[in-house]
């Protein structure tokens, strides 16, 4: 089942490329690099979440960091 | 400048109104009730100074660097390396915040209206819709906000009026039973919402009439405050002590409406205005993320980034919290008043403004000593 999910995420990313790539001019190398990098980050994140569904999320990491900062400044509540 | 479109100060005010209120109108009464009890209607008044302060700081920074957004002037104030680092922190926080908003939207729609639809369909459709609006640029988002606002406000007032037969004013008594402290503690939760006014620093450079930005920004905070006071007061008049049992009291209140047997089930109206408002809110934040990323990478156009960033946000929002008890834990942390919105809305701009003034002083000092 995980293979199907990974396959469908890959299809979504390929569709993104097919839609957006022809729209960018050939001399916009920076844009193309940025587009490809961010799309790859999204794909990698999706695949990691499919393989490890229980993994932590940015929201929880940020909460943890903020609580640590608050405890450091104001002392534990 | 990357963004070619322009919006008016009034449109910015309306955009911010939706960006704050859309989620707030449903969830605020229950989350404030824990601390403030029957005084929940006072809490927005105590929390609104945070909103005024955010607008004021963003406006002052914009006066110093009129053509730049925060990503650009943070580099001019703090230097390239520190500025880029600060910009990256800001963008990561915005992405995280946006993913939580999308999660909230998905969770609410699934739990209240479409229980059999998978969540990735609901969130994915919303991201596609927002992406098409953001792709059109700031002008499109601004005009959409202007279009939705009258309907939003009118339907909101209609629901308030229809609720009037059910109210019992003595449920809000005694006012300030235990002094001011409970309502002040309740306002801690609201700082999260009011601090989101900080994101105007992404819109201020693109205004046609920038001198009115302060006026309409402040007006927006004021209207948000009044709307929240009205919502909270009506909720407390209807539910009194049982407010905390509801996830979204305003929604549940509208289920009570039944006039002459045929005017009932008005929760669909609340849902309609809520979806419209949330759409504007998500668009506003989505736009800031896309524009900020493009400026951070010094690109000449932000449009290619809309779809890939949507993918990243979608993935993170689907997995933001695994279940609603984890989300409750998150909102528990929020209710203690230390929150990412306060950091990116208030703390970072305040730091930048301070640094900018110190920088100005040093430059002036140098100039005098050279004479």
């Amino acid at each position: 089942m995980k293979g199907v999910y990974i396959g469908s995420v890959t299809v979504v990313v390929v569709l993104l490329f097919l839609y957006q790539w022809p729209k960018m001019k050939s001399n916009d190398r920076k844009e193309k690099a940025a587009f490809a990098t961010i799309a790859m980050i999204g794909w990698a994140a999706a695949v990691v979440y499919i393989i490890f569904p229980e993994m932590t999320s940015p929201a929880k990491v940020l909460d943890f960091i903020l609580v640590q900062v608050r405890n450091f400044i104001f002392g534990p509540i | 400048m990357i963004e070619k479109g322009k919006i008016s100060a009034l449109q910015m005010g309306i955009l911010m109104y939706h960006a704050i209120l859309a989620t707030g109108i449903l969830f605020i009464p229950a989350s404030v009730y824990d601390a403030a009890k029957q005084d929940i209607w006072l809490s927005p008044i105590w929390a609104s100074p945070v909103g005024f302060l955010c607008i004021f700081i963003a406006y002052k920074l914009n006066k110093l660097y009129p053509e730049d957004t925060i990503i650009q002037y943070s580099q001019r104030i703090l230097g390239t390396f520190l500025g880029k680092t600060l910009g990256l922190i800001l963008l990561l926080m915005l992405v995280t915040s946006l993913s939580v908003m999308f999660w909230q939207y998905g969770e609410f729609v699934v739990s209240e209206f479409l229980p059999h639809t998978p969540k990735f369909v609901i969130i994915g459709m919303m991201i596609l819709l927002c992406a098409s609006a953001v792709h059109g640029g700031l002008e499109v988002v601004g005009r959409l906000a202007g279009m939705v606002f009258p309907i939003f406000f009118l339907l909101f007032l209609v629901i308030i009026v229809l609720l009037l037969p059910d109210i019992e004013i003595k449920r809000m008594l005694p006012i300030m039973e235990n002094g001011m402290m409970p309502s002040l503690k309740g306002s801690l939760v609201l700082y999260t919402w009011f601090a989101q006014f900080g994101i105007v620093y992404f819109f201020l450079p693109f205004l046609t009439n920038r001198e009115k930005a302060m006026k309409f920004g402040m007006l927006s905070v004021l209207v948000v405050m009044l709307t929240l006071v009205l919502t909270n007061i009506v909720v407390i008049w209807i539910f009194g002590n049982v407010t905390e049992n509801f996830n979204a009291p305003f929604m549940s209140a509208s289920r009570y409406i039944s006039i002459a047997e045929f005017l009932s089930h008005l929760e669909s109206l609340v849902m309609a205005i809520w979806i419209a408002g949330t759409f504007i809110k998500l668009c506003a934040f989505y736009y800031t993320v896309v524009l900020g990323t493009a400026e951070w990478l010094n690109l000449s156009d932000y449009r290619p980034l809309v779809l890939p960033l949507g993918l990243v946000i979608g993935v993170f929002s689907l997995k933001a919290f695994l279940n609603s008890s984890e989300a409750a834990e998150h909102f528990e942390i929020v209710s203690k008043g230390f929150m990412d919105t306060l950091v990116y809305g208030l703390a970072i701009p305040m730091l930048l403004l301070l640094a900018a003034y110190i920088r100005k002083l040093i430059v002036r000092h140098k100039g005098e000593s050279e004479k």
Side-chain angles (χ1 to χ4, degrees):
Chain A
M1 201 57 200
K2 281 178 178 170
V4 178
Y5 286 141
I6 293 175
S8 34
V9 169
T10 314
V11 169
V12 169
V13 175
V14 169
L15 283 178
L16 280 190
F17 270 92
L18 285 181
Y19 177 75
Q20 196 72 49
W21 205 260
K23 288 193 169 186
M24 288 187 279
K25 294 178 209 106
S26 53
N27 52 357
D28 287 352
R29 297 190 62 177
K30 245 169 138 184
E31 274 82 355
K32 283 188 171 176
F35 172 82
T37 317
I38 296 173
M40 279 298 124
I41 291 173
W43 181 80
V47 169
V48 170
Y49 272 123
I50 289 166
I51 300 172
F52 308 104
E54 303 285 305
M55 205 183 65
T56 183
S57 73
K60 283 182 257 179
V61 173
L62 188 62
D63 276 353
F64 177 76
I65 294 171
L66 284 175
V67 168
Q68 297 306 314
V69 171
R70 183 191 63 197
N71 289 350
F72 181 72
I73 299 173
F74 302 106
I77 298 173
Chain B
M1 239 193 282
I2 301 181
E3 172 64 56
K4 306 273 187 318
K6 293 261 177 193
I7 56 171
S8 70
L10 177 66
Q11 278 172 331
M12 182 204 77
I14 293 174
L15 189 64
M16 291 315 296
Y17 175 85
H18 285 302
I20 310 308
L21 206 66
T23 49
I25 203 165
L26 290 181
F27 301 120
I28 280 177
S31 46
V32 182
Y33 187 83
D34 280 343
K37 303 296 171 201
Q38 72 272 31
D39 288 339
I40 53 170
W41 58 280
L42 280 170
S43 299
I45 303 175
W46 306 139
S48 60
V50 176
F52 291 123
L53 192 64
C54 287
I55 298 267
F56 179 75
I57 291 173
Y59 181 75
K60 279 279 164 197
L61 275 168
N62 185 252
K63 274 230 141 140
L64 290 174
Y65 302 94
E67 298 298 321
D68 298 346
T69 66
I70 190 160
I71 304 286
Q72 291 161 321
Y73 57 62
S74 68
Q75 287 171 43
R76 287 173 63 180
I77 293 171
L78 299 174
T80 312
F81 178 71
L82 276 179
K84 285 264 181 199
T85 318
L86 196 72
L88 183 66
I89 295 172
L90 196 82
L91 285 174
L92 288 178
M93 280 188 171
L94 278 171
V95 169
T96 316
S97 201
L98 185 57
S99 72
V100 173
M101 286 167 206
F102 270 112
W103 184 87
Q104 257 181 316
Y105 164 78
E107 177 70 15
F108 191 71
V109 173
V110 167
S111 67
E112 296 276 333
F113 277 87
L114 303 170
H116 300 299
T117 314
K119 205 187 259 178
F120 72 87
V121 174
I122 290 168
I123 292 181
M125 298 292 264
M126 195 57 166
I127 287 180
L128 268 183
L129 189 64
C130 290
S132 68
V134 171
H135 203 271
L138 184 59
E139 249 181 56
V140 172
V141 180
R143 277 175 201 204
L144 268 175
M147 213 171 75
V148 168
F149 179 75
I151 307 169
F152 184 94
F153 208 68
L154 197 77
L155 287 180
F156 174 72
L157 288 181
V158 164
I159 284 168
I160 296 277
V161 169
L162 290 178
L163 279 171
L164 287 181
D166 292 319
I167 62 171
E168 187 87 58
I169 294 180
K170 70 168 192 283
R171 291 197 181 111
M172 69 187 272
L173 300 173
I175 295 168
M176 290 202 242
E177 188 185 7
N178 299 316
M180 304 253 278
M181 271 327 271
S183 58
L184 277 174
K185 269 185 193 154
S187 69
L188 278 183
V189 186
L190 290 174
Y191 290 158
T192 323
W193 271 277
F194 277 102
Q196 285 172 3
F197 270 107
I199 63 158
V200 285
Y201 45 57
F202 277 105
F203 304 129
L204 285 175
F206 310 119
L207 294 190
T208 45
N209 43 352
R210 212 172 290 152
E211 65 287 347
K212 285 189 183 158
M214 183 84 143
K215 191 177 119 195
F216 281 111
M218 296 290 179
L219 200 67
S220 178
V221 182
L222 197 72
V223 179
V224 167
M225 186 193 85
L226 291 177
T227 318
L228 282 178
V229 169
L230 195 62
T231 320
N232 285 357
I233 212 164
V234 166
V235 164
I236 205 77
W237 278 347
I238 286 173
F239 287 128
N241 291 331
V242 294
T243 307
E244 60 188 335
N245 299 341
F246 299 101
N247 178 25
F250 193 63
M251 189 81 174
S252 312
S254 64
R255 290 205 168 117
Y256 267 72
I257 298 175
S258 172
I259 290 167
E261 294 287 310
F262 73 91
L263 198 60
S264 57
H265 278 291
L266 288 184
E267 71 266 23
S268 49
L269 265 190
V270 177
M271 198 60 182
I273 62 173
W274 186 75
I275 299 247
T278 308
F279 166 63
I280 304 290
K281 178 193 180 94
L282 294 172
C283 280
F285 277 85
Y286 194 169
Y287 175 80
T288 60
V289 170
V290 171
L291 184 75
T293 313
E295 278 177 347
W296 193 77
L297 296 167
N298 289 331
L299 302 185
S300 57
D301 191 9
Y302 61 87
R303 284 180 182 84
L305 297 183
V306 174
L307 285 172
L309 276 171
L311 177 71
V312 173
I313 292 161
V315 170
F316 284 152
S317 66
L318 278 171
K319 284 288 174 182
F321 309 109
L322 295 178
N323 46 44
S324 43
S325 73
E326 275 189 3
E329 207 175 294
H330 165 79
F331 291 111
E332 173 74 24
I333 295 169
V334 174
S335 66
K336 285 179 183 142
F338 200 78
M339 199 37 206
D340 51 346
T341 54
L342 268 179
V343 177
Y344 69 69
L346 192 60
I348 289 178
M350 212 188 247
L351 181 102
L352 282 176
L353 188 64
L354 209 68
Y357 272 124
I358 292 170
R359 209 188 159 97
K360 227 173 148 185
L361 271 182
I362 292 171
V363 170
R364 196 182 298 158
H365 198 72
K366 261 188 190 165
E368 276 174 12
S369 60
E370 272 166 18
K371 276 176 195 172

